[in-house]
Amino acid sequence: MSEFKIRILTPEDWGLYKTARLKSLRDSPDSFGSTYDQEAALSDSEWQSRLNLKLRALAALPLVAEMDGQAVGLAWGLIHEPDLEIARIYQMWVSPALRGKGIAKTLLREIKAWALGKGCDLIALAVTTSNEAAVSLYSSSGFVATGQLEELRAGSALMVQPMVMELHSAA
């Protein structure tokens, strides 16, 4: 088996990002607030603009895990103003065939190092409660449940659990 490599997505990678994101939404529809149909309808220019962080004035770390030139994992670290002390994780996904191989933990480590470098105190995310593997991954990585359960999407029976990791004690 080849080794995976993690790298930051650049604006030139929009096609790879689009492919990986749509694959993640099709593979794991109950894990994301967005849907395949919503994002498949986006224009190429919208996909390109997502990765133009300077134009969008975003503090973000869009990561892709690659193996043999194929995207096999994805995760975004994002800091929203005015909460500059909290880094949030979005779009975390690993190809089903490669789960359990350390890709997700490596993505989390990269985002944690980035968040620490940005002076964040917390990393926050929300995980679908029925996704036991993801809940276990986050718990074993130092995240703890916080706050009330929320709907995955408006009107959804699926619930997500907010989780946080304190960086000053987890560093």
Side-chain angles (χ1 to χ4, degrees):
M1 181 172 105
S2 299
E3 289 297 313
F4 65 88
K5 138 182 129 164
I6 306 288
R7 68 178 179 86
I8 298 171
L9 288 163
T10 67
E12 294 76 29
D13 295 319
W14 72 269
L16 177 70
Y17 169 56
K18 175 182 177 180
T19 300
R21 178 64 174 156
L22 292 177
K23 190 186 242 185
S24 73
L25 290 164
R26 182 168 279 165
D27 168 66
S28 304
D30 295 341
S31 296
F32 304 104
S34 188
T35 67
Y36 177 86
D37 289 341
Q38 288 171 322
E39 297 205 16
L42 296 175
S43 69
D44 287 350
S45 64
E46 289 172 298
W47 285 102
Q48 292 168 8
S49 75
R50 283 185 171 191
L51 292 174
N52 192 338
L53 306 178
K54 288 182 181 166
L55 180 67
R56 296 176 64 204
L58 286 179
L61 183 70
L63 297 174
V64 64
E66 291 179 298
M67 184 179 290
D68 298 327
Q70 299 293 313
V72 297
L74 191 64
W76 276 69
L78 191 60
I79 300 170
H80 298 284
E81 289 191 22
D83 299 320
L84 300 179
E85 72 283 352
I86 302 172
R88 299 184 187 281
I89 296 177
Y90 297 103
Q91 300 185 17
M92 174 69 97
W93 171 79
V94 173
S95 175
L98 296 169
R99 291 180 184 159
K101 308 285 188 205
I103 296 171
K105 286 187 182 249
T106 303
L107 289 166
L108 287 174
R109 274 195 304 275
E110 292 288 327
I111 292 173
K112 179 181 175 183
W114 171 79
L116 283 166
K118 293 286 189 182
C120 294
D121 296 324
L122 292 172
I123 300 178
L125 56 84
V127 61
T128 306
T129 57
S130 59
N131 188 339
E132 294 174 14
V135 172
S136 177
L137 165 72
Y138 297 134
S139 295
S140 70
S141 297
F143 287 86
V144 295
T146 184
Q148 299 295 313
L149 296 180
E150 303 165 1
E151 291 179 331
L152 174 63
R153 293 181 282 274
S156 176
L158 294 169
M159 302 301 284
V160 295
Q161 173 65 63
M163 298 184 84
V164 298
M165 173 195 288
E166 292 188 31
L167 293 177
H168 62 273
S169 63

